Amino acid sequence: MRWGITVPFGGVPLADHRAVYAEVAAAGYTDVWTAEVSGSDGFTPLALAAAWEPSLRLGTAVAPVFTRGPGLLAMTAAALAEAAPGRFALGIGASSPVVVTDWNACSYVDPLGRTRDTLRFLRRALTGETVDEEYPTFRVRRFRLERPPAVPPPILLAALRPRMLRLAAVEADGVILNWLAATDVPRVLAAAGPPARAGFEVAARIFVCPTADAALAREVGRRLIAAYLTVPAYAAFHRWLGRADELEPLWRAWAAGDRRAAAASVPDAVVDALVPHGPPEACAAQVRAYVDNGVTTPVIAVVPPPDLDPAGLMRVLRGLAEGRG
C-alpha cells in the first residue's frame, strides 16, 4: 500500500527537512507530495527530497496549468524526473481564480480546455518530441526539451466533477482527488468511468487533524472548510455530491462577508466526514477507509492543532504510519 504525506511541514525550515525526510521514510511512508498555493512552490521541496532521501516517491498535487508556460512546466517536470528517475509523478490541475488571477496575474479562462491542452502537450514534450502545435487554448512553436528525462513521469490530473474526471480517466495516468469524504470516492470514480490505462492511479489529498480533542479538531476543520469550500469549483463539487442543504448557510454567510458565521455554520457531521480527526491511529483508520473505497495513494495533509511542536509532529507522523495496517 502506498502511504503519502504532504510536505513541507509548517514550522520547519526547508533547510531542516533532511532529517524530516529521513524520519518519514523510516516510519514507512512511501511518498511525499506537495501542494502549490502561497507557501513553497511545488517543486523545490521535492528536489530536496530527491537528493536527501532516495527511497521516497515524489509527487505534485498539484502544479497549476496556468501559472507556468507550457515549456517551463515541461522543463521543471523534466528536471525533477531526471533528478529522481522513476520516482516522480507530475500532478497538474486548473487551480482557482484566486491563485491564477489574483495572485499570479494570469487569465483564468476555460480551465477544462487549458488542462486538457497542457496534458496533451506534456505527454509529447516529456518524451523529447518537438512540439509545434496550435492547441485550442495556446500555441507552442517548435519546442523541444534539451534534456528529456530517461523515464518520463506519469501525469496525474486533479479532477472534481464528471468532465474533468473523464478526461483524467481517458488521457492521464491517474487522478488526484481533494476535499471529499471516504464515502464519496465510489461516486467520483464511477463518474470518471473505466480508465484507459493499466495501473491508473487514484491519489487523494486527505486533511487530518491529529488530536483527541474533538471540539478543537472541529474548530480547525470548520475554518479550513470555510476557506476551501467557498471556492466556486469546490462549492459546485459539493453541490454535485449532495451537500447543498448542509452547506448553503456557509455559502450565504460567506457571500455576505461574515466569515465567522460562515465557519460556524458548518455542521459537525460535515467536518467529521471531510477532516478525519482523533489520535493518530484513529486518523490512520479513517484514511484506510479511503483506500477501501478505491484510493490507491492516500496523501495525508497534517493540519496541526495549535499546541503541536516539532517533536510532537514527529510522534504524530509515526503514529499515522503505524496505523496504516
Side-chain angles (χ1 to χ4, degrees), residues 180-192:
L180 77 172
T183 53
D184 296 326
V185 174
R187 178 177 182 178
V188 170
L189 296 184

Side-chain angles (χ1 to χ4, degrees), residues 74-75 77-78 81 120-132 142-153 155:
M75 287 188 290
R120 292 174 179 175
F121 164 77
L122 289 169
R123 180 74 72 198
R124 296 171 61 189
L126 288 169
T127 67
E129 177 184 345
T130 297
V131 182
D132 192 340
R142 298 198 58 77
F143 175 83
R144 184 178 183 277
L145 282 170
E146 292 183 8
R147 299 172 68 100
V151 183
I155 304 173

Side-chain angles (χ1 to χ4, degrees), residues 94 111-112 115-116 157-169:
L112 175 65
T115 304
R116 176 202 61 223
L157 184 60
L160 298 175
R161 288 182 290 158
R163 293 173 67 197
M164 198 75 85
L165 289 163
R166 189 62 191 143
L167 175 63

Side-chain angles (χ1 to χ4, degrees), residues 177-255:
L177 310 177
N178 196 17
W179 276 112
L180 77 172
T183 53
D184 296 326
V185 174
R187 178 177 182 178
V188 170
L189 296 184
R197 288 175 172 79
F200 188 80
E201 184 168 4
V202 179
R205 295 191 70 225
I206 305 165
F207 294 89
V208 305
C209 188
T211 174
D213 186 337
L216 176 60
R218 286 171 178 154
E219 179 184 348
V220 171
R222 283 190 180 91
R223 290 199 298 266
L224 270 178
I225 288 169
Y228 276 90
L229 270 55
T230 50
V231 173
Y234 285 110
F237 179 46
H238 281 271
R239 286 189 177 97
W240 176 65
L241 289 172
R243 294 195 176 92
D245 289 345
E246 294 170 293
L247 293 175
E248 193 59 46
L250 162 69
W251 298 322
R252 282 200 305 267
W254 192 269

